[in-house]
Amino acid sequence: MPFEDELGKVLQNTGGTFAADHRALVAGGLTRGRRRVARRRAGIVVGSTLAVALIATGGAYLSGGERADESAATPGPAQDYGHFAITAEEIGGILENAMNRSGIAVMKPDVDSLGSTDAARPATASIVFDTSFGEEKVTLSVRRADPSDAGVKKLLVCPDKKGSPYEECTNQPGDRAVKGYTEAGKAAGIKKWAVTTVSPNGYVIETSTQNVQVAGSVPPQGHNPRMNPGKLRHLAMFVDGSLTPGGEPNAFGTVVPGSEAEPGDMLPILKYLLPQRLKVSSEGASGAEGHVVVSDGSGAETYVDATRWAAVTMVDAKVLPDGTKISARSRPGSQPGVIELQVGVNRVNGLSMIFRAYNAPTPKSAKRGAAPLITLEELKAIALSRTWLTAR
Protein backbone atom coordinates (compact mmCIF):
# COMPACT_ATOMS: atom_id res chain seq x y z
CA MET A 1 0.00 0.00 0.00
CA PRO A 2 1.47 3.44 -0.90
CA PHE A 3 2.69 5.42 2.08
CA GLU A 4 0.10 8.17 1.84
CA ASP A 5 -2.80 5.73 1.48
CA GLU A 6 -1.46 3.80 4.45
CA LEU A 7 -1.16 6.97 6.51
CA GLY A 8 -4.65 8.08 5.52
CA LYS A 9 -6.06 4.80 6.80
CA VAL A 10 -4.24 5.25 10.11
CA LEU A 11 -5.53 8.80 10.43
CA GLN A 12 -9.06 7.55 9.82
CA ASN A 13 -8.76 4.72 12.33
CA THR A 14 -6.88 6.70 14.96
CA GLY A 15 -9.15 9.73 14.70
CA GLY A 16 -12.06 7.75 16.04
CA THR A 17 -10.13 6.82 19.16
CA PHE A 18 -9.36 10.32 20.41
CA ALA A 19 -11.19 11.56 23.46
CA ALA A 20 -13.63 14.44 23.02
CA ASP A 21 -12.83 15.90 26.46
CA HIS A 22 -9.27 16.93 25.58
CA ARG A 23 -10.48 20.54 25.58
CA ALA A 24 -10.04 20.59 29.36
CA LEU A 25 -6.52 19.24 28.94
CA VAL A 26 -5.67 21.86 26.33
CA ALA A 27 -7.11 24.73 28.33
CA GLY A 28 -5.23 23.62 31.45
CA GLY A 29 -1.95 23.51 29.58
CA LEU A 30 -2.23 26.75 27.63
CA THR A 31 -4.15 29.31 29.66
CA ARG A 32 -1.84 29.83 32.63
CA GLY A 33 -1.54 33.59 32.84
CA ARG A 34 -3.38 34.06 29.54
CA ARG A 35 -6.87 34.93 28.43
CA ARG A 36 -9.09 31.85 28.28
CA VAL A 37 -9.68 31.06 24.64
CA ALA A 38 -11.47 27.75 24.66
CA ARG A 39 -15.18 27.94 25.41
CA ARG A 40 -16.80 25.14 23.48
CA ARG A 41 -16.51 21.42 23.04
CA ALA A 42 -13.81 20.68 20.49
CA GLY A 43 -13.35 17.86 18.08
CA ILE A 44 -9.87 16.49 17.61
CA VAL A 45 -7.36 17.51 14.98
CA VAL A 46 -5.61 14.28 14.08
CA GLY A 47 -3.21 15.61 11.55
CA SER A 48 -4.86 16.16 8.23
CA THR A 49 -3.35 14.71 5.13
CA LEU A 50 -3.91 18.03 3.44
CA ALA A 51 -1.85 17.96 0.26
CA VAL A 52 -0.73 21.42 -0.75
CA ALA A 53 0.47 22.53 -4.16
CA LEU A 54 4.11 23.50 -4.13
CA ILE A 55 4.23 26.90 -5.73
CA ALA A 56 7.50 27.75 -7.40
CA THR A 57 7.90 31.05 -5.59
CA GLY A 58 7.61 29.24 -2.27
CA GLY A 59 10.58 26.95 -2.96
CA ALA A 60 8.92 24.24 -0.90
CA TYR A 61 10.28 20.80 -1.83
CA LEU A 62 13.09 19.56 0.36
CA SER A 63 15.89 17.74 -1.38
CA GLY A 64 17.33 14.36 -0.58
CA GLY A 65 14.09 12.48 -0.06
CA GLU A 66 12.02 10.05 -2.02
CA ARG A 67 8.77 11.41 -3.39
CA ALA A 68 5.84 9.72 -1.74
CA ASP A 69 3.04 8.32 -3.86
CA GLU A 70 0.60 11.09 -4.80
CA SER A 71 -2.58 9.07 -4.93
CA ALA A 72 -5.35 10.44 -2.75
CA ALA A 73 -5.33 9.33 0.86
CA THR A 74 -8.04 7.00 2.09
CA PRO A 75 -11.12 9.14 2.79
CA GLY A 76 -12.17 9.53 6.38
CA PRO A 77 -15.59 8.75 7.85
CA ALA A 78 -18.65 10.72 6.81
CA GLN A 79 -18.73 14.18 8.38
CA ASP A 80 -21.42 16.76 9.00
CA TYR A 81 -20.17 19.89 7.27
CA GLY A 82 -23.16 21.92 8.42
CA HIS A 83 -21.68 23.08 11.72
CA PHE A 84 -19.46 26.16 11.99
CA ALA A 85 -18.93 28.26 15.10
CA ILE A 86 -16.07 30.73 15.39
CA THR A 87 -15.97 34.23 16.83
CA ALA A 88 -14.43 37.32 15.29
CA GLU A 89 -11.84 37.34 18.07
CA GLU A 90 -10.86 33.74 17.36
CA ILE A 91 -10.50 34.06 13.57
CA GLY A 92 -8.56 37.31 14.04
CA GLY A 93 -6.23 35.65 16.54
CA ILE A 94 -5.68 32.70 14.23
CA LEU A 95 -4.65 35.00 11.37
CA GLU A 96 -2.32 37.06 13.54
CA ASN A 97 -0.67 33.95 15.01
CA ALA A 98 -0.40 32.40 11.54
CA MET A 99 1.38 35.49 10.25
CA ASN A 100 3.95 35.21 13.02
CA ARG A 101 4.53 31.51 12.20
CA SER A 102 4.86 32.32 8.51
CA GLY A 103 8.00 34.33 9.05
CA ILE A 104 6.44 37.81 8.89
CA ALA A 105 6.84 39.82 12.07
CA VAL A 106 3.78 42.05 12.35
CA MET A 107 4.15 45.03 14.67
CA LYS A 108 0.97 46.74 15.87
CA PRO A 109 -1.23 45.32 13.13
CA ASP A 110 -4.64 46.69 12.22
CA VAL A 111 -6.85 43.57 12.41
CA ASP A 112 -10.40 43.44 11.08
CA SER A 113 -12.38 40.23 11.57
CA LEU A 114 -15.85 38.75 11.35
CA GLY A 115 -16.95 35.47 12.91
CA SER A 116 -19.55 33.03 11.63
CA THR A 117 -22.14 30.54 12.88
CA ASP A 118 -23.34 29.67 9.37
CA ALA A 119 -21.44 26.94 7.53
CA ALA A 120 -22.10 28.62 4.19
CA ARG A 121 -20.94 32.06 5.36
CA PRO A 122 -17.19 32.57 5.66
CA ALA A 123 -15.44 33.79 8.75
CA THR A 124 -13.02 36.47 7.61
CA ALA A 125 -10.05 38.39 8.91
CA SER A 126 -7.57 40.83 7.45
CA ILE A 127 -4.38 42.47 8.64
CA VAL A 128 -2.83 45.68 7.40
CA PHE A 129 0.78 46.07 8.42
CA ASP A 130 3.63 48.40 7.61
CA THR A 131 6.68 47.35 5.59
CA SER A 132 9.74 49.32 4.57
CA PHE A 133 7.95 50.01 1.27
CA GLY A 134 4.58 50.97 2.70
CA GLU A 135 1.50 49.12 3.86
CA GLU A 136 0.53 45.59 2.90
CA LYS A 137 -2.72 43.73 3.38
CA VAL A 138 -3.26 40.02 4.08
CA THR A 139 -6.74 38.50 4.10
CA LEU A 140 -8.17 35.17 5.28
CA SER A 141 -11.54 33.61 4.53
CA VAL A 142 -12.70 30.26 5.96
CA ARG A 143 -15.96 28.43 5.37
CA ARG A 144 -17.25 24.90 5.76
CA ALA A 145 -17.64 22.67 2.71
CA ASP A 146 -17.69 19.05 1.63
CA PRO A 147 -14.29 18.49 -0.06
CA SER A 148 -15.89 16.05 -2.51
CA ASP A 149 -18.47 18.58 -3.73
CA ALA A 150 -18.12 19.32 -7.44
CA GLY A 151 -18.45 23.05 -6.89
CA VAL A 152 -15.69 23.01 -4.30
CA LYS A 153 -13.42 21.03 -6.61
CA LYS A 154 -13.84 23.73 -9.27
CA LEU A 155 -12.11 26.14 -6.91
CA LEU A 156 -8.96 24.09 -7.36
CA VAL A 157 -8.91 24.25 -11.13
CA CYS A 158 -7.03 27.00 -12.91
CA PRO A 159 -9.06 28.90 -15.51
CA ASP A 160 -8.20 28.84 -19.21
CA LYS A 161 -5.30 31.13 -19.96
CA LYS A 162 -7.32 32.95 -22.57
CA GLY A 163 -9.23 35.65 -20.78
CA SER A 164 -7.83 34.69 -17.37
CA PRO A 165 -7.18 37.61 -15.01
CA TYR A 166 -4.18 35.77 -13.58
CA GLU A 167 -0.66 35.98 -14.92
CA GLU A 168 0.17 32.61 -13.35
CA CYS A 169 -1.84 29.76 -11.96
CA THR A 170 -0.78 26.37 -10.61
CA ASN A 171 -2.80 23.55 -9.12
CA GLN A 172 -1.88 20.19 -7.64
CA PRO A 173 -2.46 17.18 -9.92
CA GLY A 174 -5.62 15.40 -8.86
CA ASP A 175 -7.07 18.61 -7.38
CA ARG A 176 -5.85 17.58 -3.97
CA ALA A 177 -5.88 20.81 -2.06
CA VAL A 178 -4.59 24.01 -3.56
CA LYS A 179 -4.88 26.38 -6.42
CA GLY A 180 -2.27 29.11 -6.27
CA TYR A 181 -1.92 32.07 -8.57
CA THR A 182 -0.36 35.48 -8.87
CA GLU A 183 -2.10 38.52 -10.20
CA ALA A 184 -0.46 41.77 -11.25
CA GLY A 185 -2.84 44.67 -10.99
CA LYS A 186 -3.10 47.04 -13.92
CA ALA A 187 -3.13 50.20 -11.82
CA ALA A 188 -0.24 51.74 -9.89
CA GLY A 189 1.79 48.55 -9.76
CA ILE A 190 -0.57 46.77 -7.36
CA LYS A 191 0.28 43.09 -7.07
CA LYS A 192 -1.94 40.44 -5.56
CA TRP A 193 -1.19 36.81 -4.77
CA ALA A 194 -3.70 34.30 -3.48
CA VAL A 195 -3.98 30.64 -2.57
CA THR A 196 -7.15 28.57 -2.24
CA THR A 197 -6.95 25.48 -0.06
CA VAL A 198 -9.53 22.77 0.56
CA SER A 199 -8.95 20.81 3.75
CA PRO A 200 -10.08 17.18 4.13
CA ASN A 201 -11.50 18.33 7.47
CA GLY A 202 -14.12 20.26 5.51
CA TYR A 203 -12.87 23.83 5.12
CA VAL A 204 -12.29 26.11 2.16
CA ILE A 205 -9.39 28.31 3.26
CA GLU A 206 -8.64 31.31 1.05
CA THR A 207 -5.61 33.47 1.73
CA SER A 208 -4.39 36.47 -0.23
CA THR A 209 -2.00 39.39 -0.04
CA GLN A 210 -1.49 42.61 -1.94
CA ASN A 211 1.10 45.36 -1.82
CA VAL A 212 -1.55 48.04 -1.73
CA GLN A 213 -1.08 51.36 0.00
CA VAL A 214 -4.28 51.10 2.01
CA ALA A 215 -3.90 54.48 3.68
CA GLY A 216 -2.06 57.54 2.52
CA SER A 217 -1.38 59.08 -0.87
CA VAL A 218 1.91 57.33 -1.76
CA PRO A 219 1.28 54.70 -4.47
CA PRO A 220 2.72 51.16 -4.25
CA GLN A 221 6.40 50.96 -5.10
CA GLY A 222 6.07 47.95 -7.39
CA HIS A 223 7.69 45.54 -4.95
CA ASN A 224 6.41 42.02 -4.48
CA PRO A 225 4.30 41.44 -1.36
CA ARG A 226 6.31 40.00 1.53
CA MET A 227 3.68 37.28 1.97
CA ASN A 228 4.60 35.32 -1.17
CA PRO A 229 2.57 32.26 -2.24
CA GLY A 230 4.79 29.94 -0.23
CA LYS A 231 4.11 31.90 2.97
CA LEU A 232 0.40 32.00 2.15
CA ARG A 233 0.49 28.22 1.89
CA HIS A 234 2.13 28.01 5.32
CA LEU A 235 -0.52 30.37 6.65
CA ALA A 236 -3.28 28.07 5.33
CA MET A 237 -1.58 25.07 6.97
CA PHE A 238 -1.59 26.88 10.32
CA VAL A 239 -5.27 27.74 9.91
CA ASP A 240 -6.07 24.11 9.11
CA GLY A 241 -4.24 23.02 12.27
CA SER A 242 -6.19 25.59 14.29
CA LEU A 243 -9.59 24.15 13.37
CA THR A 244 -11.24 20.87 14.31
CA PRO A 245 -13.11 18.48 12.00
CA GLY A 246 -16.21 19.35 14.03
CA GLY A 247 -16.36 22.94 12.77
CA GLU A 248 -14.79 24.85 15.66
CA PRO A 249 -11.40 26.37 16.51
CA ASN A 250 -9.09 24.61 18.92
CA ALA A 251 -7.21 26.31 21.74
CA PHE A 252 -3.77 25.99 20.13
CA GLY A 253 -4.34 28.39 17.26
CA THR A 254 -6.30 30.94 19.26
CA VAL A 255 -3.92 31.72 22.11
CA VAL A 256 -3.32 35.40 22.72
CA PRO A 257 -1.35 36.71 19.70
CA GLY A 258 2.19 37.62 20.66
CA SER A 259 2.18 35.65 23.91
CA GLU A 260 5.44 33.89 24.64
CA ALA A 261 5.79 30.13 24.64
CA GLU A 262 6.00 28.61 28.11
CA PRO A 263 8.15 25.64 29.13
CA GLY A 264 6.09 22.58 28.43
CA ASP A 265 3.90 24.00 25.68
CA MET A 266 4.63 20.89 23.61
CA LEU A 267 3.10 18.63 26.24
CA PRO A 268 -0.56 19.68 25.84
CA ILE A 269 -0.45 19.03 22.09
CA LEU A 270 1.13 15.62 22.57
CA LYS A 271 -1.57 14.65 25.10
CA TYR A 272 -4.25 16.12 22.83
CA LEU A 273 -3.26 13.76 20.01
CA LEU A 274 -2.85 10.52 21.95
CA PRO A 275 -5.34 7.71 21.24
CA GLN A 276 -8.01 7.50 23.92
CA ARG A 277 -7.19 3.91 24.83
CA LEU A 278 -3.84 5.04 26.28
CA LYS A 279 -4.03 6.24 29.87
CA VAL A 280 -1.44 8.82 30.94
CA SER A 281 0.18 7.73 34.20
CA SER A 282 2.87 10.42 34.33
CA GLU A 283 4.07 13.35 32.27
CA GLY A 284 6.78 15.96 32.06
CA ALA A 285 8.14 18.78 29.96
CA SER A 286 11.18 21.03 29.67
CA GLY A 287 11.55 23.76 27.06
CA ALA A 288 10.67 22.47 23.61
CA GLU A 289 10.04 18.89 24.78
CA GLY A 290 7.08 17.04 26.20
CA HIS A 291 6.76 13.42 27.25
CA VAL A 292 4.22 11.05 28.77
CA VAL A 293 4.18 7.55 30.14
CA VAL A 294 1.04 5.72 29.05
CA SER A 295 -0.41 2.40 30.20
CA ASP A 296 -3.11 -0.01 29.11
CA GLY A 297 -4.25 -0.98 32.59
CA SER A 298 -2.62 -4.40 32.49
CA GLY A 299 0.92 -3.50 33.54
CA ALA A 300 2.44 -2.53 30.20
CA GLU A 301 3.89 0.98 29.96
CA THR A 302 5.20 3.07 27.08
CA TYR A 303 7.23 6.28 27.12
CA VAL A 304 6.32 8.74 24.33
CA ASP A 305 8.03 12.06 23.69
CA ALA A 306 7.87 14.92 21.21
CA THR A 307 10.81 17.29 20.77
CA ARG A 308 11.81 20.14 18.52
CA TRP A 309 15.17 19.39 16.98
CA ALA A 310 17.72 20.94 14.63
CA ALA A 311 17.03 19.97 11.01
CA VAL A 312 19.32 17.24 9.73
CA THR A 313 19.47 15.25 6.52
CA MET A 314 17.23 12.18 6.67
CA VAL A 315 18.53 9.92 3.92
CA ASP A 316 15.69 7.43 4.31
CA ALA A 317 12.97 10.06 4.28
CA LYS A 318 9.94 10.38 2.06
CA VAL A 319 8.71 13.74 0.81
CA LEU A 320 4.96 14.25 0.95
CA PRO A 321 3.12 16.37 -1.63
CA ASP A 322 3.05 19.38 0.72
CA GLY A 323 6.83 19.25 1.08
CA THR A 324 6.88 17.65 4.52
CA LYS A 325 9.82 15.29 4.89
CA ILE A 326 9.25 12.26 7.12
CA SER A 327 11.45 9.42 8.28
CA ALA A 328 10.20 6.50 10.40
CA ARG A 329 11.93 3.47 11.81
CA SER A 330 11.83 0.82 14.53
CA ARG A 331 15.05 -0.34 16.19
CA PRO A 332 16.30 -2.05 19.38
CA GLY A 333 16.50 0.14 22.47
CA SER A 334 19.33 0.33 24.99
CA GLN A 335 17.92 -2.41 27.24
CA PRO A 336 17.17 -6.07 26.34
CA GLY A 337 13.78 -6.43 24.66
CA VAL A 338 13.15 -2.68 24.48
CA ILE A 339 11.93 -1.40 21.11
CA GLU A 340 12.36 2.21 20.05
CA LEU A 341 9.96 3.71 17.53
CA GLN A 342 11.21 6.95 15.98
CA VAL A 343 9.60 9.41 13.57
CA GLY A 344 11.39 12.52 12.33
CA VAL A 345 9.54 15.32 10.52
CA ASN A 346 10.94 18.35 8.69
CA ARG A 347 8.29 20.82 7.52
CA VAL A 348 8.71 23.38 4.79
CA ASN A 349 8.22 26.27 7.22
CA GLY A 350 11.36 25.18 9.11
CA LEU A 351 9.70 23.29 11.97
CA SER A 352 11.61 20.08 12.69
CA MET A 353 10.45 17.54 15.27
CA ILE A 354 11.32 14.07 16.44
CA PHE A 355 8.92 11.65 18.10
CA ARG A 356 9.95 8.53 20.03
CA ALA A 357 8.17 5.71 21.81
CA TYR A 358 9.64 2.91 23.96
CA ASN A 359 7.99 -0.12 25.55
CA ALA A 360 9.45 1.02 28.87
CA PRO A 361 8.69 3.77 31.40
CA THR A 362 11.86 5.67 30.36
CA PRO A 363 14.23 5.37 27.40
CA LYS A 364 16.81 3.70 29.65
CA SER A 365 14.50 1.45 31.68
CA ALA A 366 13.84 -2.27 31.39
CA LYS A 367 11.00 -3.26 29.13
CA ARG A 368 7.46 -3.10 30.46
CA GLY A 369 5.57 -4.99 27.80
CA ALA A 370 6.40 -6.92 24.63
CA ALA A 371 6.03 -3.91 22.34
CA PRO A 372 5.18 -0.20 22.58
CA LEU A 373 1.50 0.44 23.25
CA ILE A 374 1.45 2.84 20.30
CA THR A 375 2.18 1.62 16.77
CA LEU A 376 4.63 3.20 14.35
CA GLU A 377 1.74 4.19 12.09
CA GLU A 378 -0.04 5.91 14.98
CA LEU A 379 3.17 7.73 15.86
CA LYS A 380 3.40 8.89 12.24
CA ALA A 381 -0.16 10.18 12.38
CA ILE A 382 0.61 12.15 15.54
CA ALA A 383 3.85 13.50 14.03
CA LEU A 384 2.09 14.70 10.86
CA SER A 385 -0.74 16.47 12.65
CA ARG A 386 -0.96 20.08 11.51
CA THR A 387 -1.68 21.04 15.11
CA TRP A 388 2.09 21.04 15.69
CA LEU A 389 2.30 24.08 13.38
CA THR A 390 0.53 26.05 16.11
CA ALA A 391 3.24 25.23 18.66
CA ARG A 392 5.19 28.35 19.67
Side-chain angles (χ1 to χ4, degrees):
M1 179 183 293
F3 173 79
E4 199 175 7
D5 290 348
E6 188 175 295
L7 176 62
K9 187 174 189 302
V10 172
L11 290 171
Q12 176 183 343
N13 295 339
T14 308
T17 69
F18 291 152
D21 63 355
H22 280 186
R23 169 69 68 165
L25 157 67
V26 174
L30 293 179
T31 60
R32 299 183 303 274
R34 307 180 192 138
R35 178 176 54 190
R36 186 168 66 90
V37 295
R39 291 184 292 272
R40 299 187 297 268
R41 177 189 60 81
I44 298 302
V45 177
V46 300
S48 78
T49 54
L50 177 66
V52 181
L54 298 175
I55 303 167
T57 51
Y61 276 114
L62 297 172
S63 61
E66 174 189 349
R67 279 297 298 277
D69 183 85
E70 292 194 357
S71 58
T74 304
Q79 285 185 298
D80 176 12
Y81 302 107
H83 177 67
F84 194 29
I86 186 169
T87 67
E89 180 184 34
E90 287 168 335
I91 191 67
I94 287 173
L95 175 57
E96 193 170 346
N97 285 327
M99 289 285 291
N100 292 334
R101 306 304 197 285
S102 296
I104 300 294
V106 179
M107 302 300 294
K108 298 180 180 179
D110 180 8
V111 182
D112 186 23
S113 58
L114 180 66
S116 177
T117 55
D118 182 349
R121 181 171 60 82
T124 61
S126 64
I127 285 181
V128 176
F129 64 99
D130 191 28
T131 72
S132 57
F133 298 99
E135 289 181 331
E136 187 170 318
K137 184 176 184 179
V138 175
T139 62
L140 167 67
S141 171
V142 183
R143 64 180 174 88
R144 292 287 274 166
D146 182 348
S148 64
D149 182 79
V152 171
K153 288 185 175 182
K154 287 182 180 179
L155 298 174
L156 307 178
V157 180
C158 291
D160 294 334
K161 289 185 178 181
K162 184 177 181 180
S164 171
Y166 313 125
E167 286 189 341
E168 299 179 20
C169 183
T170 61
N171 58 273
Q172 181 75 20
D175 298 339
R176 287 170 179 264
V178 156
K179 176 187 71 176
Y181 58 81
T182 66
E183 177 185 4
K186 303 302 181 183
I190 294 175
K191 296 182 179 180
K192 180 179 180 180
W193 289 339
V195 173
T196 300
T197 303
V198 177
S199 163
N201 286 331
Y203 296 98
V204 175
I205 304 171
E206 297 178 287
T207 57
S208 66
T209 184
Q210 60 187 39
N211 63 336
V212 62
Q213 189 82 8
V214 179
S217 58
V218 179
Q221 302 298 308
H223 68 285
N224 291 332
R226 294 181 65 194
M227 285 293 290
N228 61 35
K231 287 186 171 63
L232 289 177
R233 185 194 53 215
H234 300 159
L235 190 152
M237 290 178 179
F238 181 96
V239 174
D240 186 45
S242 300
L243 300 169
T244 76
E248 300 181 357
N250 63 42
F252 300 112
T254 55
V255 295
V256 179
S259 58
E260 294 294 329
E262 296 181 0
D265 269 4
M266 306 295 283
L267 179 60
I269 299 180
L270 176 61
K271 294 172 66 176
Y272 184 71
L273 297 172
L274 287 172
Q276 182 181 7
R277 71 177 189 279
L278 302 179
K279 308 303 179 183
V280 177
S281 57
S282 65
E283 62 187 58
S286 60
E289 180 269 347
H291 64 268
V292 295
V293 177
V294 296
S295 63
D296 63 357
S298 62
E301 289 186 316
T302 292
Y303 178 95
V304 183
D305 69 14
T307 309
R308 280 196 183 95
W309 63 316
V312 298
T313 301
M314 297 188 294
V315 295
D316 59 341
K318 292 182 180 292
V319 181
L320 302 182
D322 69 352
T324 299
K325 195 175 184 182
I326 180 170
S327 174
R329 61 181 174 175
S330 174
R331 63 183 182 181
S334 61
Q335 297 295 325
V338 172
I339 299 170
E340 176 191 357
L341 306 181
Q342 184 182 109
V343 177
V345 174
N346 287 345
R347 297 186 186 269
V348 293
N349 70 342
L351 175 65
S352 296
M353 297 190 69
I354 188 165
F355 300 81
R356 298 185 181 94
Y358 304 83
N359 54 325
T362 75
K364 302 296 184 182
S365 300
K367 72 174 183 177
R368 194 75 60 82
L373 295 173
I374 190 170
T375 69
L376 186 59
E377 296 304 315
E378 288 172 328
L379 197 60
K380 288 180 188 176
I382 290 174
L384 288 173
S385 170
R386 292 199 184 278
T387 310
W388 293 109
L389 296 174
T390 67
R392 294 168 300 149

